[in-house]
Amino acid sequence: MFGCLVAGRLVQAAPQQVAEDKFVFDLPDYENINHVVVFMLGTIPFPEGMGGSVYFCYPDQTGMAVWQLLGFVTNEKPSAIFKISGLKSGKGSQHPFGAMNLPQTPTVAQIGISVELLENLAQQTPVASAAVSSVDSFTEFTQKMLDNFYNFASSFAVTQAQMTPNPSEAFIPANVVLKWYENFQRRLTQNPLFWKT
């Protein structure tokens, strides 16, 4: 019913069923995993009105299992990508795997899927840092670079009264830098590849 994929590894299509409505995938060497994809195989849909909440479990320093809600999959949303690299130091959340004593190994984490009512899924709040950014890395880099340049240039701003005449230096008014910054942001928002034309 479910599959799990980590970049550079084989697809896992046979989770361990630990209860009638709960499934677990092992993630060996989880410290080197940044993202995980959980998906439905397309062979068996969820029963009407049901979906699957997706959890990440890792052992803390004492070896105890820490579970964090990543999100969900449903018949309408049969796959999801989750960022787990930043979760390995967070706090656990309420989860349906609590009564189960699943074996924990220091280098193995787990992805748990719990089949639940869709109305229950809608009331759950996933860990915010598990969501994958919808902005591509180039756009994100460009935005950070713009912010950094503007902040750096603005840190040297002086009023005309503070300026010391120096014939060998050119000065650019701060409002010109601000106008360029705003125009570049606007164009980047409209078309991230505008600079190629």
Coordinates of all heavy atoms in Angstrom, one line a residue, residues 25-104:
F25 N 8.6 1.9 8.3 CA 9.7 1.7 7.5 C 11.0 2.0 8.3 O 11.0 3.1 9.0 CB 9.7 2.7 6.3 CG 8.7 2.4 5.2 CD1 7.5 3.2 5.2 CD2 8.9 1.5 4.3 CE1 6.6 3.0 4.2 CE2 7.9 1.2 3.3 CZ 6.8 2.0 3.3
D26 N 12.0 1.2 8.2 CA 13.3 1.5 8.9 C 14.1 2.4 8.0 O 14.2 2.2 6.7 CB 14.0 0.2 9.2 CG 13.5 -0.5 10.4 OD1 12.7 0.1 11.2 OD2 13.7 -1.7 10.5
L27 N 14.8 3.4 8.6 CA 15.7 4.2 7.8 C 17.1 4.1 8.4 O 17.5 4.9 9.3 CB 15.3 5.7 7.9 CG 13.9 6.1 7.3 CD1 13.6 7.5 7.6 CD2 13.9 5.7 5.9
P28 N 17.9 3.1 8.0 CA 19.3 3.0 8.5 C 20.1 4.2 8.2 O 19.9 4.9 7.2 CB 19.8 1.8 7.8 CG 18.7 1.1 7.1 CD 17.6 2.2 7.0
D29 N 21.1 4.5 9.0 CA 22.0 5.6 8.8 C 21.3 6.9 8.6 O 21.6 7.7 7.7 CB 23.0 5.3 7.6 CG 24.1 6.2 7.5 OD1 24.6 6.8 8.6 OD2 24.6 6.4 6.4
Y30 N 20.3 7.1 9.4 CA 19.4 8.3 9.2 C 20.0 9.6 9.4 O 19.5 10.7 8.9 CB 18.2 8.2 10.2 CG 18.5 8.5 11.6 CD1 18.3 9.8 12.1 CD2 19.0 7.6 12.5 CE1 18.6 10.1 13.4 CE2 19.3 7.9 13.8 CZ 19.1 9.2 14.3 OH 19.4 9.5 15.6
E31 N 21.2 9.7 10.1 CA 21.9 11.0 10.2 C 22.3 11.6 8.9 O 22.5 12.8 8.8 CB 23.1 10.8 11.1 CG 22.8 10.5 12.6 CD 22.9 8.9 12.8 OE1 22.9 8.2 11.8 OE2 22.8 8.5 13.9
N32 N 22.4 10.8 7.9 CA 22.8 11.2 6.5 C 21.7 11.4 5.6 O 21.9 11.5 4.4 CB 23.8 10.2 5.9 CG 25.1 10.2 6.7 OD1 25.6 11.2 7.1 ND2 25.6 9.0 7.0
I33 N 20.4 11.5 6.1 CA 19.3 11.6 5.3 C 18.7 13.1 5.4 O 18.6 13.5 6.6 CB 18.1 10.6 5.6 CG1 18.6 9.2 5.4 CG2 16.9 10.9 4.8 CD1 17.7 8.1 5.9
N34 N 18.5 13.8 4.3 CA 17.9 15.1 4.4 C 16.4 15.1 4.1 O 15.7 15.8 4.8 CB 18.6 16.0 3.4 CG 20.0 16.3 3.8 OD1 20.3 16.5 4.9 ND2 20.9 16.3 2.8
H35 N 16.0 14.4 3.1 CA 14.6 14.3 2.7 C 14.1 12.9 2.6 O 14.9 12.0 2.2 CB 14.4 15.1 1.4 CG 14.7 16.5 1.5 ND1 15.9 17.0 1.4 CD2 13.9 17.6 1.7 CE1 15.9 18.3 1.5 NE2 14.7 18.7 1.7
V36 N 12.8 12.7 2.8 CA 12.3 11.3 2.6 C 10.9 11.6 1.8 O 10.2 12.5 2.1 CB 12.1 10.6 3.9 CG1 11.1 11.3 4.8 CG2 11.6 9.2 3.7
V37 N 10.6 10.7 0.9 CA 9.4 10.7 0.2 C 8.5 9.5 0.6 O 9.0 8.4 0.7 CB 9.6 10.6 -1.4 CG1 8.3 10.6 -2.1 CG2 10.5 11.7 -1.8
V38 N 7.3 9.8 1.0 CA 6.4 8.7 1.4 C 5.2 8.8 0.3 O 4.7 9.9 0.0 CB 5.8 9.0 2.8 CG1 4.7 7.9 3.1 CG2 6.9 8.9 3.8
F39 N 4.9 7.6 -0.2 CA 3.9 7.6 -1.3 C 3.0 6.3 -1.2 O 3.4 5.3 -0.6 CB 4.5 7.7 -2.6 CG 5.6 6.7 -2.9 CD1 5.2 5.5 -3.6 CD2 6.9 6.8 -2.5 CE1 6.2 4.5 -3.9 CE2 7.8 5.9 -2.7 CZ 7.5 4.7 -3.4
M40 N 1.9 6.4 -1.8 CA 1.0 5.3 -2.0 C 1.4 4.6 -3.3 O 1.8 5.2 -4.2 CB -0.5 5.7 -2.0 CG -0.9 6.3 -0.7 SD -2.6 6.9 -0.8 CE -3.5 5.4 -1.1
L41 N 1.4 3.2 -3.2 CA 1.8 2.5 -4.4 C 0.8 2.5 -5.5 O 1.1 2.1 -6.6 CB 2.1 1.0 -4.0 CG 3.3 0.9 -3.0 CD1 3.4 -0.6 -2.6 CD2 4.6 1.4 -3.6
G42 N -0.4 2.8 -5.2 CA -1.5 2.8 -6.2 C -2.2 1.5 -6.3 O -3.1 1.3 -7.2
T43 N -1.8 0.5 -5.6 CA -2.4 -0.8 -5.7 C -3.7 -0.9 -4.8 O -4.7 -1.5 -5.1 CB -1.4 -1.9 -5.2 OG1 -0.9 -1.6 -4.0 CG2 -0.3 -2.0 -6.3
I44 N -3.6 -0.3 -3.6 CA -4.7 -0.3 -2.6 C -5.0 1.1 -2.2 O -4.1 1.7 -1.5 CB -4.4 -1.2 -1.4 CG1 -4.0 -2.6 -1.8 CG2 -5.6 -1.2 -0.4 CD1 -3.5 -3.5 -0.7
P45 N -6.2 1.7 -2.5 CA -6.4 3.0 -2.0 C -6.9 2.9 -0.5 O -7.2 1.9 0.0 CB -7.6 3.5 -2.8 CG -8.3 2.2 -3.2 CD -7.2 1.1 -3.3
F46 N -6.9 4.1 0.1 CA -7.4 4.2 1.5 C -8.9 3.9 1.4 O -9.6 4.3 0.5 CB -7.2 5.6 2.1 CG -5.8 5.8 2.6 CD1 -5.0 6.7 1.9 CD2 -5.3 5.2 3.7 CE1 -3.7 7.0 2.3 CE2 -4.0 5.5 4.2 CZ -3.2 6.4 3.5
P47 N -9.5 3.4 2.5 CA -10.9 3.3 2.5 C -11.5 4.7 2.5 O -10.9 5.6 2.9 CB -11.2 2.6 3.9 CG -9.9 1.9 4.2 CD -8.8 2.7 3.6
E48 N -12.8 4.8 2.1 CA -13.4 6.1 2.0 C -13.4 6.8 3.4 O -13.6 6.2 4.4 CB -14.9 5.9 1.6 CG -15.7 7.1 1.4 CD -15.2 7.9 0.1 OE1 -14.8 7.2 -0.9 OE2 -15.3 9.1 0.1
G49 N -13.0 8.1 3.3 CA -12.9 8.9 4.5 C -11.7 8.7 5.4 O -11.6 9.2 6.5
M50 N -10.7 7.9 4.8 CA -9.5 7.6 5.6 C -8.2 8.2 4.9 O -8.2 8.5 3.7 CB -9.3 6.1 5.8 CG -10.5 5.4 6.4 SD -10.7 5.9 8.2 CE -9.5 4.9 9.0
G51 N -7.2 8.4 5.7 CA -5.9 8.8 5.1 C -4.8 8.3 6.1 O -5.1 7.6 7.0
G52 N -3.6 8.7 5.8 CA -2.5 8.2 6.6 C -1.6 9.4 7.2 O -1.1 10.2 6.4
S53 N -1.5 9.5 8.5 CA -0.6 10.5 9.1 C 0.8 9.9 9.0 O 1.0 8.7 9.3 CB -1.0 10.8 10.5 OG -1.1 9.7 11.3
V54 N 1.8 10.7 8.7 CA 3.2 10.2 8.5 C 4.0 10.8 9.7 O 4.0 12.0 9.9 CB 3.7 10.7 7.2 CG1 5.2 10.2 7.0 CG2 2.9 10.2 6.0
Y55 N 4.7 9.9 10.4 CA 5.6 10.3 11.5 C 7.0 9.9 11.2 O 7.3 9.0 10.5 CB 5.1 9.6 12.8 CG 3.8 10.0 13.3 CD1 2.6 9.5 12.8 CD2 3.7 11.0 14.3 CE1 1.3 9.9 13.2 CE2 2.4 11.4 14.7 CZ 1.3 10.9 14.2 OH 0.1 11.3 14.7
F56 N 7.9 10.7 11.9 CA 9.3 10.4 11.8 C 9.7 10.0 13.3 O 9.4 10.7 14.2 CB 10.1 11.6 11.4 CG 11.6 11.4 11.4 CD1 12.3 10.5 10.7 CD2 12.4 12.3 12.2 CE1 13.7 10.3 10.8 CE2 13.8 12.2 12.3 CZ 14.4 11.2 11.6
C57 N 10.4 8.9 13.4 CA 10.9 8.5 14.8 C 12.4 8.3 14.8 O 12.9 7.6 13.9 CB 10.2 7.2 15.1 SG 10.7 6.4 16.7
Y58 N 13.0 8.8 15.8 CA 14.5 8.6 15.9 C 14.8 8.4 17.4 O 14.0 8.9 18.3 CB 15.2 9.8 15.3 CG 15.0 11.1 16.1 CD1 15.9 11.5 17.1 CD2 13.9 11.9 15.8 CE1 15.6 12.7 17.8 CE2 13.7 13.1 16.5 CZ 14.5 13.4 17.5 OH 14.3 14.6 18.2
P59 N 15.9 7.7 17.7 CA 16.2 7.5 19.1 C 16.9 8.8 19.7 O 17.8 9.3 19.0 CB 17.2 6.3 19.1 CG 17.7 6.3 17.7 CD 16.7 7.0 16.8
D60 N 16.5 9.2 20.9 CA 17.3 10.3 21.5 C 18.5 9.8 22.1 O 18.9 8.7 22.0 CB 16.3 11.1 22.5 CG 15.9 10.2 23.7 OD1 16.5 9.1 23.9 OD2 15.1 10.7 24.5
Q61 N 19.2 10.7 22.9 CA 20.5 10.3 23.5 C 20.4 9.1 24.5 O 21.3 8.3 24.7 CB 21.2 11.5 24.3 CG 21.7 12.5 23.4 CD 20.6 13.7 23.2 OE1 19.5 13.6 23.7 NE2 21.0 14.7 22.5
T62 N 19.2 8.9 25.1 CA 19.0 7.8 26.0 C 18.5 6.6 25.3 O 18.3 5.5 26.0 CB 18.0 8.2 27.1 OG1 16.7 8.4 26.5 CG2 18.5 9.5 27.9
G63 N 18.3 6.6 24.0 CA 17.8 5.5 23.3 C 16.2 5.4 23.2 O 15.7 4.5 22.6
M64 N 15.6 6.4 23.8 CA 14.1 6.4 23.7 C 13.6 7.0 22.4 O 14.2 7.8 21.8 CB 13.5 7.3 24.9 CG 13.8 6.8 26.3 SD 13.1 5.2 26.6 CE 11.4 5.6 26.6
A65 N 12.5 6.4 21.9 CA 11.9 6.8 20.7 C 11.3 8.2 20.8 O 10.5 8.5 21.7 CB 10.9 5.8 20.2
V66 N 11.6 9.1 19.8 CA 11.0 10.4 19.7 C 10.3 10.5 18.4 O 10.8 10.3 17.3 CB 12.1 11.5 19.7 CG1 11.5 12.9 19.5 CG2 12.9 11.5 21.0
W67 N 8.9 10.7 18.5 CA 8.1 10.7 17.3 C 7.7 12.1 17.0 O 7.3 12.9 17.9 CB 6.8 9.8 17.5 CG 7.1 8.4 17.6 CD1 7.4 7.7 18.7 CD2 7.0 7.4 16.5 NE1 7.6 6.3 18.4 CE2 7.3 6.2 17.0 CE3 6.8 7.5 15.2 CZ2 7.4 5.0 16.3 CZ3 6.8 6.4 14.4 CH2 7.1 5.1 14.9
Q68 N 7.7 12.5 15.7 CA 7.3 13.8 15.2 C 6.4 13.6 14.0 O 6.8 12.9 13.1 CB 8.5 14.7 14.9 CG 9.4 15.0 16.1 CD 10.6 15.8 15.8 OE1 11.2 15.6 14.8 NE2 10.9 16.7 16.7
L69 N 5.3 14.4 14.0 CA 4.4 14.3 12.9 C 4.9 15.1 11.7 O 5.3 16.3 11.9 CB 3.0 14.9 13.3 CG 1.9 15.0 12.2 CD1 1.6 13.6 11.7 CD2 0.7 15.7 12.7
L70 N 5.0 14.5 10.6 CA 5.6 15.1 9.4 C 4.4 15.7 8.5 O 4.6 16.8 8.0 CB 6.4 14.2 8.5 CG 7.6 13.5 9.2 CD1 8.2 12.6 8.2 CD2 8.6 14.6 9.6
G71 N 3.4 15.0 8.4 CA 2.3 15.4 7.5 C 1.4 14.2 7.2 O 1.2 13.3 8.1
F72 N 0.8 14.1 6.0 CA -0.1 13.0 5.7 C -0.1 12.7 4.2 O 0.4 13.5 3.4 CB -1.5 13.4 6.2 CG -2.0 14.7 5.5 CD1 -2.7 14.6 4.3 CD2 -1.8 15.9 6.1 CE1 -3.2 15.8 3.7 CE2 -2.3 17.1 5.5 CZ -3.0 17.0 4.3
V73 N -0.7 11.5 3.9 CA -1.0 11.2 2.5 C -2.4 10.7 2.5 O -2.9 10.2 3.5 CB 0.0 10.0 2.0 CG1 1.4 10.5 1.8 CG2 0.0 8.8 2.9
T74 N -3.1 11.0 1.4 CA -4.5 10.6 1.2 C -4.7 10.1 -0.3 O -3.7 10.2 -1.1 CB -5.4 11.7 1.4 OG1 -5.2 12.7 0.4 CG2 -5.3 12.3 2.8
N75 N -5.9 9.6 -0.6 CA -6.1 9.2 -2.0 C -6.0 10.4 -2.9 O -5.6 10.3 -4.0 CB -7.5 8.6 -2.1 CG -7.6 7.3 -1.4 OD1 -6.6 6.5 -1.3 ND2 -8.8 6.9 -1.0
E76 N -6.3 11.6 -2.4 CA -6.3 12.8 -3.2 C -4.8 13.4 -3.2 O -4.5 14.2 -4.1 CB -7.2 13.9 -2.6 CG -8.7 13.6 -2.8 CD -9.2 12.5 -1.9 OE1 -8.7 12.4 -0.7 OE2 -10.1 11.7 -2.3
K77 N -4.0 13.1 -2.2 CA -2.6 13.6 -2.1 C -1.8 12.3 -1.8 O -1.4 12.1 -0.7 CB -2.5 14.6 -1.0 CG -1.1 15.2 -0.9 CD -1.1 16.2 0.3 CE 0.3 16.7 0.6 NZ 1.0 15.9 1.5
P78 N -1.5 11.5 -2.9 CA -0.9 10.2 -2.6 C 0.6 10.2 -2.4 O 1.2 9.1 -2.2 CB -1.3 9.4 -3.9 CG -1.4 10.5 -4.9 CD -1.9 11.7 -4.2
S79 N 1.2 11.3 -2.4 CA 2.7 11.4 -2.1 C 3.0 12.7 -1.4 O 2.4 13.7 -1.5 CB 3.5 11.2 -3.3 OG 3.3 12.3 -4.2
A80 N 4.2 12.7 -0.7 CA 4.6 13.9 0.0 C 6.1 13.7 0.2 O 6.7 12.6 0.4 CB 3.9 14.1 1.3
I81 N 6.8 14.9 0.1 CA 8.3 15.0 0.4 C 8.4 15.7 1.8 O 7.8 16.7 2.0 CB 9.0 15.8 -0.7 CG1 8.8 15.1 -2.0 CG2 10.5 15.9 -0.3 CD1 9.4 16.0 -3.2
F82 N 9.2 15.1 2.6 CA 9.4 15.7 4.0 C 10.9 15.9 4.2 O 11.7 15.1 3.9 CB 8.9 14.8 5.1 CG 7.4 14.5 4.9 CD1 7.0 13.2 4.5 CD2 6.4 15.4 5.2 CE1 5.7 12.9 4.4 CE2 5.1 15.1 5.0 CZ 4.7 13.9 4.6
K83 N 11.2 17.1 4.8 CA 12.6 17.4 5.2 C 12.8 16.9 6.6 O 12.1 17.4 7.5 CB 12.9 18.9 5.1 CG 14.3 19.3 5.5 CD 14.5 20.8 5.3 CE 15.9 21.1 5.7 NZ 16.1 22.6 5.6
I84 N 13.7 16.0 6.8 CA 13.9 15.4 8.2 C 15.2 15.8 8.8 O 15.5 15.6 10.0 CB 13.7 13.9 8.2 CG1 14.8 13.2 7.4 CG2 12.3 13.5 7.8 CD1 14.8 11.7 7.6
S85 N 16.1 16.5 8.0 CA 17.4 16.8 8.5 C 17.4 17.7 9.7 O 18.3 17.6 10.6 CB 18.3 17.4 7.4 OG 17.7 18.5 6.9
G86 N 16.5 18.6 9.8 CA 16.4 19.5 11.0 C 15.6 19.0 12.2 O 15.5 19.6 13.2
L87 N 15.1 17.8 12.1 CA 14.2 17.3 13.1 C 14.9 16.4 14.2 O 14.3 16.1 15.2 CB 13.1 16.4 12.5 CG 12.2 17.1 11.4 CD1 11.2 16.1 10.9 CD2 11.5 18.3 12.0
K88 N 16.1 16.1 13.9 CA 16.8 15.2 14.8 C 17.2 15.7 16.2 O 17.8 15.1 17.0 CB 18.0 14.6 14.1 CG 17.7 13.9 12.8 CD 18.8 13.8 11.9 CE 18.3 13.4 10.5 NZ 19.2 13.7 9.5
S89 N 16.8 17.0 16.5 CA 17.0 17.5 17.8 C 15.8 18.1 18.4 O 15.8 18.7 19.4 CB 18.1 18.6 17.7 OG 17.7 19.6 16.9
G90 N 14.6 17.9 17.7 CA 13.4 18.5 18.2 C 12.7 17.7 19.3 O 13.2 16.6 19.7
K91 N 11.6 18.2 19.8 CA 10.8 17.5 20.8 C 9.8 16.6 20.1 O 9.4 16.9 19.0 CB 10.1 18.5 21.7 CG 11.1 19.3 22.6 CD 10.3 20.1 23.6 CE 11.3 20.8 24.5 NZ 10.6 21.5 25.5
G92 N 9.4 15.6 20.7 CA 8.4 14.7 20.2 C 7.0 15.3 20.3 O 6.8 16.3 21.0
S93 N 6.1 14.6 19.6 CA 4.7 15.1 19.7 C 3.8 13.9 20.0 O 4.3 12.8 20.0 CB 4.3 15.7 18.3 OG 4.5 14.8 17.3
Q94 N 2.5 14.2 20.2 CA 1.6 13.1 20.5 C 1.5 12.2 19.2 O 1.5 12.7 18.1 CB 0.2 13.7 20.8 CG -0.8 12.7 21.2 CD -2.1 13.4 21.7 OE1 -2.2 14.6 21.6 NE2 -3.0 12.6 22.1
H95 N 1.5 10.9 19.4 CA 1.5 10.0 18.3 C 0.7 8.7 18.6 O 0.6 8.4 19.8 CB 2.9 9.7 17.9 CG 3.7 9.1 18.9 ND1 3.7 7.7 19.2 CD2 4.5 9.6 19.9 CE1 4.5 7.4 20.2 NE2 5.0 8.6 20.7
P96 N 0.3 8.0 17.6 CA -0.5 6.8 17.8 C 0.4 5.5 18.0 O -0.1 4.4 18.2 CB -1.3 6.6 16.6 CG -0.5 7.3 15.5 CD 0.2 8.4 16.2
F97 N 1.7 5.7 18.0 CA 2.6 4.6 18.2 C 3.1 4.4 19.6 O 3.9 3.5 19.9 CB 3.9 4.7 17.3 CG 3.5 4.8 15.8 CD1 3.2 5.9 15.2 CD2 3.5 3.6 15.1 CE1 2.9 6.0 13.8 CE2 3.2 3.6 13.7 CZ 2.8 4.8 13.1
G98 N 2.6 5.1 20.5 CA 3.1 5.2 21.9 C 3.0 3.9 22.6 O 4.0 3.5 23.4
A99 N 2.0 3.1 22.5 CA 1.9 1.8 23.2 C 2.7 0.7 22.7 O 2.9 -0.3 23.3 CB 0.4 1.4 23.3
M100 N 3.3 0.9 21.5 CA 4.1 -0.1 20.8 C 5.5 0.0 21.2 O 6.1 1.1 21.2 CB 3.9 0.0 19.3 CG 2.5 -0.3 18.9 SD 2.4 0.0 17.1 CE 0.7 0.3 17.0
N101 N 6.1 -1.1 21.5 CA 7.5 -1.1 21.9 C 8.3 -1.5 20.7 O 8.8 -2.6 20.6 CB 7.8 -2.0 23.1 CG 9.1 -1.8 23.7 OD1 9.8 -0.8 23.4 ND2 9.5 -2.6 24.6
L102 N 8.5 -0.5 19.8 CA 9.2 -0.8 18.5 C 10.7 -0.8 18.8 O 11.2 0.1 19.5 CB 8.9 0.2 17.4 CG 7.4 0.2 17.0 CD1 7.2 1.3 16.1 CD2 7.0 -1.1 16.4
P103 N 11.5 -1.7 18.4 CA 12.9 -1.8 18.7 C 13.6 -0.5 18.1 O 13.4 -0.1 17.0 CB 13.4 -3.0 18.0 CG 12.4 -3.4 17.0 CD 11.1 -2.8 17.5
Q104 N 14.5 0.0 18.9 CA 15.3 1.2 18.5 C 16.8 0.9 18.4 O 17.3 0.3 19.4 CB 15.1 2.4 19.4 CG 13.7 3.0 19.4 CD 13.4 3.6 18.0 OE1 14.2 4.4 17.5 NE2 12.3 3.2 17.4

